[in-house]
Amino acid sequence: MRADRLVSLVLLLRQHGRLSAAALARELEVSTRTVLRDIEALSAAGVPVYAERGRHGGFALLPGFRTELTGLNHDEALALLVAGSRRGAQAFGLGSALASAMLKVVDALPESYRDTAAGAAERLLVDPETDLLSRRLAAEEVPEAIAAEVLRAVFAGHKLRIHYVAVDQTPKWRTVDPIGLVTVRDRGYLLATRSGADRTYRLSRILAAEELAEPAQRPERVDLDRAWQERSTRFRTGGDQVTVLVRVDPARREDLVSTALAVRAEETDSDGRLRLEADFQDPRHAEWALWQLATDAEALAPQWLRDSLHDRAAAIATRYGPSA
């Protein structure tokens, strides 16, 4: 851990030229005393770091101290920097490692590429934290210790023991054979098998994890994209799935389709409104999706959905009706 921190300290000085002990401590998330000890260790190892006194002083490296990563062109560097802006690594507990890696990549770029690639990367934003309606798309928090244990088991091909809490159930310990990790909209999932059956676990619901020494029973190679698609299909077609017939304003079609699991049929009525037959995960999902569209959509069937929406609208009307 200290070796990584010393490398990060050198790279920070390379990037910024001169930084105070307090600034270095903030960047490295350690105390200023630790920074001073690290500076002494670097000096003893022959790294040309020196202190500048005064109000605007700090620590700096002698000019020219750097290594270059050869063979990396501008577009390749840009791709790495853009990839480094993605938040998916947070779901696997790799956020700090990714930030450190990007710092090393930028520092190691040839002089002719470094500024232009970094400037171009500033003009590309991937997966912002909010959408155009200012809805926050926050990633789920996964403790670093749990993420690290899961990663080790996945990469080493060992069985994994997890303390998992499923929806509406008490936490239980279970031993699984990890296959791989997937992140979707900043939610991390562990794909695994348990007693030979496919299982998918959300990382944020793992309360504790322990890598076991026993080898996992899993294929030598795996197509994670295909595996995820197959599991997604099984998820959509299982449970209490319901089919709804709905009329919707064409301008709100995408709003409806984006929330549905699938659209089975679609036609246009004489008045220009669309008539869709759509699948939803369960009755609550269907009611929520139609309620979001207000008068821009009308549930035609089943009757229980019409009754449910009617009762909800009546309750709202009563709540906000004229005062007696």
Side-chain angles (χ1 to χ4, degrees):
M1 177 62 75
R2 190 191 186 196
D4 290 341
R5 191 174 68 242
L6 292 176
V7 172
S8 295
L9 193 156
V10 171
L11 294 175
L12 284 169
L13 294 179
R14 282 290 312 150
Q15 291 295 307
H16 298 282
R18 180 174 60 247
L19 287 172
S20 66
L24 287 168
R26 286 194 301 270
E27 292 286 344
L28 298 171
E29 298 181 351
V30 296
S31 66
T32 54
R33 180 174 298 180
T34 297
V35 168
L36 295 176
R37 286 200 297 266
D38 288 348
I39 293 292
E40 291 180 2
L42 289 173
S43 297
V47 178
V49 58
Y50 66 96
E52 291 186 353
R53 308 294 180 186
R55 180 179 178 184
H56 300 291
F59 295 100
L61 294 168
L62 288 177
F65 181 77
R66 70 188 306 272
T67 59
E68 287 194 350
L69 180 64
T70 58
L72 192 67
N73 63 37
H74 176 270
D75 289 342
E76 291 169 339
L78 177 59
L80 284 172
L81 294 176
V82 172
S85 71
R86 296 183 64 88
R87 294 178 292 127
Q90 300 292 342
F92 299 145
L94 293 174
S96 59
L98 180 62
S100 176
M102 288 302 101
L103 188 63
K104 293 176 183 178
V105 167
V106 172
D107 183 76
L109 287 176
E111 190 74 31
S112 58
Y113 294 148
R114 196 187 324 150
D115 293 337
T116 56
E122 290 177 354
R123 301 185 181 276
L124 300 173
L125 177 62
V126 181
D127 289 342
E129 293 186 357
T130 60
D131 63 13
L132 287 175
L133 298 179
S134 297
R135 294 175 296 195
R136 186 169 181 81
L137 308 174
E140 295 182 336
E141 294 295 329
V142 180
E144 285 190 15
I146 293 176
E149 200 73 9
V150 172
L151 280 171
R152 280 195 293 268
V154 170
F155 294 153
H158 290 167
K159 286 184 179 292
L160 179 69
R161 188 166 178 260
I162 59 175
H163 195 211
Y164 190 77
V165 53
V167 178
D168 299 327
Q169 295 184 22
T170 57
K172 295 180 180 178
W173 283 98
R174 57 200 75 187
T175 299
V176 302
D177 296 296
I179 293 175
L181 293 165
V182 176
T183 177
V184 181
R185 297 175 183 172
D186 292 329
R187 290 182 176 180
Y189 297 89
L190 168 67
L191 272 59
T193 60
R194 185 181 174 207
S195 300
D198 288 344
R199 292 290 185 267
T200 303
Y201 302 99
R202 189 182 295 186
L203 293 184
S204 61
R205 293 179 180 162
I206 298 179
L207 306 180
E210 177 187 1
E211 178 194 4
L212 304 180
E214 184 181 353
Q217 301 297 314
R218 66 181 190 179
E220 185 175 343
R221 301 188 64 83
V222 63
D223 184 341
L224 274 185
D225 185 59
R226 181 177 179 181
W228 179 256
Q229 292 297 330
E230 291 175 348
R231 296 186 187 206
S232 298
T233 299
R234 288 198 297 270
F235 176 79
R236 289 195 302 269
T237 56
D240 301 321
Q241 183 174 315
V242 296
T243 301
V244 173
L245 182 62
V246 57
R247 272 169 43 90
V248 62
D249 185 322
R252 302 299 302 277
R253 178 189 181 279
E254 292 305 316
D255 294 328
L256 176 66
V257 171
S258 65
T259 61
L261 296 179
V263 175
R264 293 175 176 268
E266 180 176 347
E267 61 182 32
T268 304
D269 286 345
S270 58
D271 61 357
R273 291 175 74 86
L274 301 176
R275 185 180 294 249
L276 280 72
E277 187 177 344
D279 292 340
F280 293 91
Q281 185 61 41
D282 52 36
R284 186 171 61 176
H285 180 201
E287 181 180 345
W288 173 86
L290 271 294
W291 182 258
Q292 307 306 307
L293 300 179
T295 57
D296 290 331
E298 177 188 1
L300 302 178
Q303 186 60 44
W304 62 260
L305 180 57
R306 291 180 59 86
D307 293 341
S308 180
L309 291 170
H310 173 274
D311 293 344
R312 179 182 282 203
I316 293 292
T318 299
R319 174 65 60 86
Y320 293 104
S323 301

